[in-house]
Amino acid sequence: MAVGHSVEPGRWQAETDRLLDQMAGRFARVETRRRAGKFLLGLLADLPRKNCWTIAEHAGDLDPHGMQHLLGRARWDTDGVRDDLRDYVTGQLADSDAVLVVDETGDLKKGTCTVGVQRQYTGTAGRIENAQVAVYLTYAAARGHAMIDRELYLPRSWTTDPDRCDRAGVPDDIEFATKPALATGMLTRALRAGVAARWVAADEVYGADPALRTELELQQIGYVLAIGCDRRVPTGAGLLRADALTAGLPRHAWQRVSAGAGAKGQRFYDWALVTLTPPADAPDTACWWLLVRRHRDTGELAFYRCYSPHPVPLRELVRVAGRRWTVEESFQAAKGLAGLDEHQVRRWTSWQRWTLLAMLAHALLAVIAANEHADRPAVLGLIALTCNEIRRLLTVLVIDPARTLACPHAWSHWRRRHQHRARTSHYRRQQTTLRPS
């Protein structure tokens, strides 16, 4: 094999088998288990559109009925597979300093029959659209990150209409829950299952919810939660707006710290930390802060409510704040590589199973990437294997090698070399333009 071509398809096949074996006991019939494996590989295949029809054709089925049955009516433990996904990700990417990141994403849909769909705001479109929204939980570790849980958001227009819910197969015990409440449930489930994580990060929707913050404090897990500038925080002078509290900070209160490496260099911002007044019954070691981020060029401010059961330095809080973006990367990868948003299912169970299988497919890519980075570091002149690149190679070397039309190693080498040059150029440009503090 030529220099730089260190990919071993056998290792990737073994990792795929490991994941499938881990959840094998959740299926009542061996035929259902095998079909689920084919479905998962179909989600990773190079298909122009991923749905039961195209995945069934790729798997060699004569019609889509078997794949549709797998999602809608087949007997298998969906919640059990969800737990297997969580254990697989947290076991393979294990990190005692991991961050649990919460966020929601929306899928644009037509009509009114698909479960959870109504006109509502979704960040996917950046406006109010006919959409289906779900909240996801990502496990972000030093080795990589992947989603480990999800909950579908059912608006009140659904939960107050029993007939509509019944037609979509929504269980009778499902009641209305806000997005922060869904997030709290997933976080509690993960922590009670023994997930090793020190922090939780989320955006303003979740940072504004006192019940979520209280639950995390009871669980003794730290958090860095974004809040709006008009949110009031406890100080010695009473409740003050976040922007008012930080308006008069002296110059020496700000420190320039990177929130982590980005595609075009380190993400440097100016940061300030303000100690907040703790609750009356707070333990002596517990700490509450307001963390403020300032953009180096525009001066734009962002605010975070922070808690830790023990004192930590500013850099640790900045690290956690920077990890929040891993959930956005997970959304992008799961949608672009594993068809998370391409489902054409309408009912509750089918949605639960489609999203779960797509999360499993993305988790497999994340774990393979983590193992490759650890065991086979990129040679000089190449970037490390990305999930995008692994998906390409997995498709032609493991999933469907008979359809290989060009040398996959040569194309992989060329793409990685090109990306290495681009990244090197970005970092050099940053170094020449970086202003001193």
Side-chain angles (χ1 to χ4, degrees):
M1 188 176 290
V3 175
H5 299 160
S6 59
V7 171
E8 293 185 12
R11 283 166 48 90
W12 296 5
Q13 180 66 67
E15 190 59 49
T16 304
D17 294 340
R18 184 210 305 271
L19 174 58
L20 295 174
D21 290 344
Q22 185 161 337
M23 62 184 190
R26 307 296 186 177
F27 296 86
R29 297 173 58 87
V30 66
E31 295 85 357
T32 307
R33 173 171 58 83
R34 290 172 178 168
R35 191 176 297 279
K38 291 181 179 179
F39 197 102
L40 186 146
L41 295 181
L43 288 169
L44 291 173
D46 187 17
L47 301 175
R49 180 72 179 173
K50 292 169 184 174
N51 52 49
C52 285
W53 287 45
T54 59
I55 291 173
E57 183 178 9
H58 179 270
D61 294 349
L62 297 179
D63 55 54
H65 299 159
M67 294 301 181
Q68 293 168 341
H69 178 75
L70 172 72
L71 295 182
R73 299 179 300 280
R75 291 180 56 196
W76 54 283
D77 184 356
T78 309
D79 289 345
V81 174
R82 177 203 63 203
D83 295 343
D84 292 335
L85 165 66
R86 180 195 64 222
D87 295 344
Y88 175 73
V89 170
T90 58
Q92 295 298 310
L93 304 180
D95 182 358
S96 59
D97 289 330
V99 181
L100 295 172
V101 189
V102 176
D103 201 1
E104 77 271 2
T105 187
D107 302 329
L108 303 184
K109 297 294 178 183
K110 297 180 180 180
T112 59
C113 296
T114 300
V115 61
V117 164
Q118 75 164 21
R119 286 191 59 79
Q120 54 189 318
Y121 178 82
T122 169
T124 304
R127 58 183 181 274
I128 294 177
E129 287 282 359
N130 205 55
Q132 181 186 60
V133 175
V135 183
Y136 287 80
L137 178 63
T138 286
Y139 182 81
R143 279 168 45 84
H145 52 85
M147 294 176 288
I148 61 172
D149 206 347
R150 79 279 176 256
E151 290 286 359
L152 179 63
Y153 172 68
L154 281 183
R156 291 189 187 275
S157 62
W158 277 82
T159 56
T160 57
D161 189 341
D163 292 338
R164 190 183 190 191
C165 287
D166 185 64
R167 289 192 297 271
V170 178
D172 294 337
D173 60 346
I174 298 297
E175 300 178 348
F176 174 76
T178 64
K179 294 167 189 173
L182 295 175
T184 302
M186 289 191 293
L187 288 165
T188 301
R189 186 158 57 217
L191 295 173
R192 288 179 177 173
V195 171
R198 285 189 60 195
W199 297 95
V200 170
D203 68 12
E204 296 178 9
V205 172
Y206 308 92
D209 188 77
L212 188 153
R213 298 197 306 268
T214 299
E215 180 62 28
L216 294 178
E217 291 167 13
L218 290 174
Q219 296 278 353
Q220 292 288 287
I221 184 168
Y223 58 71
V224 177
L225 306 175
I227 60 173
C229 64
D230 58 344
R231 289 291 169 179
R232 297 180 181 274
V233 294
T235 72
L239 293 175
L240 297 178
R241 283 176 53 123
D243 52 1
L245 180 60
T246 59
L249 287 177
R251 183 175 181 180
H252 64 78
W254 297 92
Q255 298 183 45
R256 183 159 297 175
V257 182
S258 171
K264 298 182 179 180
Q266 295 292 329
R267 293 176 293 161
F268 284 105
Y269 294 92
D270 295 331
W271 302 84
L273 194 61
V274 180
T275 301
L276 300 180
T277 301
D281 57 349
D284 292 340
T285 59
C287 303
W288 284 261
W289 301 277
L290 177 68
L291 177 66
V292 189
R293 186 192 72 196
R294 184 175 66 190
H295 194 282
R296 293 164 48 217
D297 297 324
T298 66
E300 181 182 6
L301 299 179
F303 303 88
Y304 304 83
R305 286 192 71 154
C306 306
Y307 159 80
S308 175
H310 304 284
V312 296
L314 171 67
R315 287 184 177 274
E316 177 67 359
L317 299 176
V318 171
R319 179 187 74 86
V320 177
R323 298 299 286 169
R324 185 170 74 84
W325 298 107
T326 56
V327 70
E328 298 291 346
E329 295 172 358
S330 293
F331 289 154
Q332 183 178 9
K335 291 181 178 184
L337 305 179
L340 178 67
D341 61 339
E342 294 186 29
H343 63 84
Q344 297 177 359
V345 298
R346 289 189 173 185
R347 294 174 61 81
W348 174 270
T349 299
S350 298
W351 181 90
Q352 299 284 338
R353 291 177 170 180
W354 177 285
T355 54
L356 179 57
L357 290 167
M359 290 160 62
L360 282 161
H362 172 249
L364 176 62
L365 296 178
V367 169
I368 291 175
N371 292 340
E372 289 294 323
H373 297 171
D375 301 337
R376 287 170 170 75
V379 299
L380 184 64
L382 301 180
I383 68 165
L385 281 165
T386 63
C387 286
N388 281 6
E389 197 62 43
I390 289 171
R391 202 291 300 262
R392 291 189 185 100
L393 294 174
L394 190 73
T395 296
V396 296
L397 297 177
V398 176
I399 296 176
D400 203 4
R403 297 177 62 187
T404 302
L405 301 178
C407 176
H409 296 304
W411 274 98
S412 175
H413 187 91
W414 182 89
R415 282 189 293 265
R416 292 166 64 194
R417 184 174 65 246
H418 176 79
Q419 290 166 342
H420 173 80
R421 290 172 177 170
R423 186 175 68 175
T424 300
S425 175
H426 286 309
Y427 271 72
R428 286 176 177 170
R429 185 179 298 111
Q430 183 190 59
Q431 289 301 318
T432 60
T433 59
L434 188 63
R435 299 193 300 270
S437 301

